[in-house]
Amino acid sequence: MKHILIRSIVNLLGITRMYRLLCPFLSGQGLILAMHRVVKDGGRSRIGASSRIEISPGFLRELLLFFRGRDYEIISLDDLYERLEAGVKGPPFVCFTFDDGYADVHDIIYPIFKRYNAPFAVYMVTSFVEGDAVVWWYILEDLLLETDLPIHFTFRGREYCLDVSSKAKKEQAYNILRQILMELPQEQVSSLLKRIFPQVEINFLDYNSYQISWKKLLEMAKDPLVTIGAHTVNHLNLRKLTRDAVLREVMDSKHILEAKLKGPVHHFAYPFGSKEEAGPREFDLVKRCGFKTAVTMREGAIFPVHRHYTHCLPRVEVTGRHQDLKLIDMRRCGLISLLKNGFRPVVAD
Ligand SMILES: [Zn+2]
C-alpha cells in the first residue's frame, strides 16, 4: 500500500516537475551514490536479483554527465569527510561508490572514470577478492534458467518441492532459495547447491571471473582517483552476529586490505545496509574500528549535520531497475528520501 502511494505521488510530481520546488530544502550538500556492477547487456533472459545490481556503461556515463551538467563536484570519500568536518558550505557534491568488488570495477568502471577524470570508491568484500566466495546468486540464476523440471530437496528437516516450469515460477523459486542461501555460511553454500541440483555438474571455477583479482585491485589502488574501502570479510548480516564476530568481520577486512594495499583504509560500507542489517550497535563498533566514514543503504542526501553521523551516512542506490535520469533527479532533490523515511528530511540513523 505504502509503495503504491509513493509511486502515485512520484508520478504526479514527476509529470509536473513540482518536486524541483523541494530541491533547495531537501537536497542537502550532496549525495553518495551506491552501485554494484556496470555490465554490457548480455541480451539473454534474466531472473532473480542479480540483474537488479547491474547498470549499463551508457547509463553510468549519463549519470556522470547529469551531475556535471548540474554543477555538482564529483569528489572522493576523503574530500567528503573533510568537507563535513570543516562545516564549509560549498558547491553541491556527489560521491560514486561501488560495493562488493566485481571484476567490472576494473574492466569497465575504472576506464570510464579515468576518461572523465572523476574519483570513485570501491567497498571490497575481502573473501570475494581472495577467491573464497561463491557467487551463488549468479550460479542459482543460471541453474534455474537451465531447467524446467521440479526441484526436490530437504533442508533443516523441511521438504521443498519447487515448480520451475515458467519464468514466474522460476522467480518464486529463486526467492525461496535466496532466503536459504544468503543465511548460510560460505563453506556450506556449494554443497547445498550440489544437493539441490544433483543432475547438473556445477563448475564453480567458471564463476571466478565475476570477482576482481588482487592484481587488478592493486593497479587501481595506485591511482589517486580510486578509493578502496572495506565491506567486511564475508558479507554477512552483521546484526545477526555476536559483538566479537562483528569486530572480526570488520577489522579483518580492514587489516587484509591494508596489508595488501600497504596503506590505510579509512572508509567502510555495511553489508546490505538496511535497518535489518545495520543498527546503532554496528555503527558504534565500526566507529571504534577507526574508520573516518561508514555508509548504509538508507536512502538520503548528505546534510551538514551528518558531521555528527559520519558512521551512518545514507546513500542513494542506483539499480538496474531504475536506469532513469528523471528518477535520479527526484532522488537528488530528496523527494524519494522524504517519502521513504516518513517525511523526515535528514536520515541519520
Ligand atoms: Zn555488498
Side-chain angles (χ1 to χ4, degrees):
M1 187 63 196
K2 192 184 170 193
H3 290 298
I4 297 168
L5 182 66
I6 290 178
R7 210 177 301 141
S8 309
I9 297 173
V10 166
N11 286 341
L12 178 70
L13 294 177
I15 291 163
T16 58
R17 292 191 182 264
M18 272 171 62
Y19 66 88
R20 289 267 176 90
L21 297 172
L22 299 171
C23 240
F25 310 103
L26 300 177
S27 57
Q29 285 181 287
L31 290 177
I32 308 173
L33 296 181
M35 283 159 276
H36 288 83
R37 301 194 63 198
V38 177
V39 295
K40 290 168 189 149
D41 183 5
R44 65 181 185 123
S45 169
R46 301 293 302 269
I47 56 161
S50 317
S51 58
R52 186 183 171 277
I53 61 170
E54 300 167 0
I55 66 165
S56 70
F59 190 64
L60 179 60
R61 282 190 285 268
E62 282 179 33
L63 275 176
L64 285 157
L65 293 172
F66 171 88
F67 282 101
R68 286 239 163 114
R70 279 156 188 78
D71 295 328
Y72 273 62
E73 277 187 48
I74 302 171
I75 64 169
S76 67
L77 291 171
D78 278 335
D79 280 349
L80 163 86
Y81 177 75
E82 275 158 32
R83 283 186 191 207
L84 283 174
E85 283 290 294
V88 182
K89 209 171 180 294
F93 63 77
V94 58
C95 297
F96 283 78
T97 67
F98 298 86
D99 290 10
D100 301 344
Y102 288 92
D104 42 271
V105 167
H106 174 275
D107 299 345
I108 297 178
I109 296 167
Y110 181 39
I112 292 175
F113 278 84
K114 264 205 291 198
R115 193 174 145 214
Y116 288 86
N117 194 29
F120 70 101
V122 191
Y123 292 113
M124 292 300 308
V125 176
T126 51
S127 67
F128 213 51
V129 70
E130 303 255 283
D132 295 338
V134 178
V135 287
W136 59 260
W137 47 103
Y138 281 106
I139 299 172
L140 181 61
E141 183 185 9
D142 285 347
L143 290 168
L144 287 171
L145 283 169
E146 275 168 27
T147 186
D148 288 331
L149 299 172
I151 293 166
H152 301 276
F153 68 99
T154 309
F155 178 70
R156 290 182 181 159
R158 194 177 149 188
E159 239 178 80
Y160 290 83
C161 182
L162 307 175
D163 180 354
V164 293
S165 57
S166 68
K167 189 155 186 291
K169 297 279 184 198
K170 286 178 200 287
E171 287 284 357
Q172 282 173 13
Y174 183 96
N175 288 332
I176 292 166
L177 294 170
R178 179 174 181 267
Q179 285 308 316
I180 295 172
L181 288 161
M182 73 187 291
E183 300 292 334
L184 217 57
Q186 277 292 322
E187 59 275 14
Q188 294 174 32
V189 168
S190 321
S191 58
L192 182 63
L193 279 169
K194 283 184 204 161
R195 204 150 62 70
I196 299 172
F197 298 93
Q199 73 282 20
V200 186
E201 174 131 10
I202 308 169
N203 195 347
F204 290 97
L205 290 177
D206 284 354
Y207 292 87
N208 277 2
S209 60
Y210 280 86
Q211 305 156 14
I212 196 169
S213 63
W214 279 119
K215 188 169 173 270
K216 288 180 176 180
L217 191 69
L218 289 170
E219 180 203 324
M220 291 199 312
K222 285 185 204 141
D223 192 324
L225 289 178
V226 183
T227 301
I228 310 291
H231 194 36
T232 73
V233 177
N234 292 301
H235 207 283
L236 302 172
N237 178 347
L238 298 183
R239 283 193 66 175
K240 293 205 170 171
L241 302 182
T242 63
R243 187 180 180 281
D244 285 350
V246 173
L247 285 172
R248 266 199 308 277
E249 277 290 317
V250 177
M251 280 313 283
D252 286 359
S253 70
K254 189 176 195 287
H255 289 153
I256 290 167
L257 287 169
E258 287 177 340
K260 282 278 186 185
L261 305 174
K262 297 188 172 54
V265 170
H266 292 305
H267 305 281
F268 180 82
Y270 299 91
F272 310 104
S274 81
K275 286 193 176 178
E276 280 74 47
E277 297 102 10
R281 182 192 69 156
E282 289 70 42
F283 302 155
D284 181 52
L285 290 175
V286 166
K287 191 173 183 177
R288 285 162 192 248
C289 290
F291 290 98
K292 284 181 181 172
T293 73
V295 292
T296 66
M297 208 57 106
R298 273 83 137 166
E299 168 116 9
I302 304 298
F303 288 82
V305 71
H306 279 112
R307 69 188 297 236
H308 304 298
Y309 302 94
T310 47
H311 292 85
C312 51
L313 297 173
R315 291 191 285 177
V316 168
E317 189 184 8
V318 182
T319 68
R321 279 195 202 134
H322 300 120
Q323 298 185 60
D324 177 354
L325 289 179
K326 194 166 170 191
L327 195 59
I328 296 293
D329 199 34
M330 287 188 202
R331 298 170 83 183
R332 174 182 76 89
C333 290
L335 172 68
I336 310 292
S337 168
L338 195 71
L339 296 173
K340 274 191 179 172
N341 296 298
F343 292 95
R344 284 183 308 146
V346 179
V347 179
D349 60 8

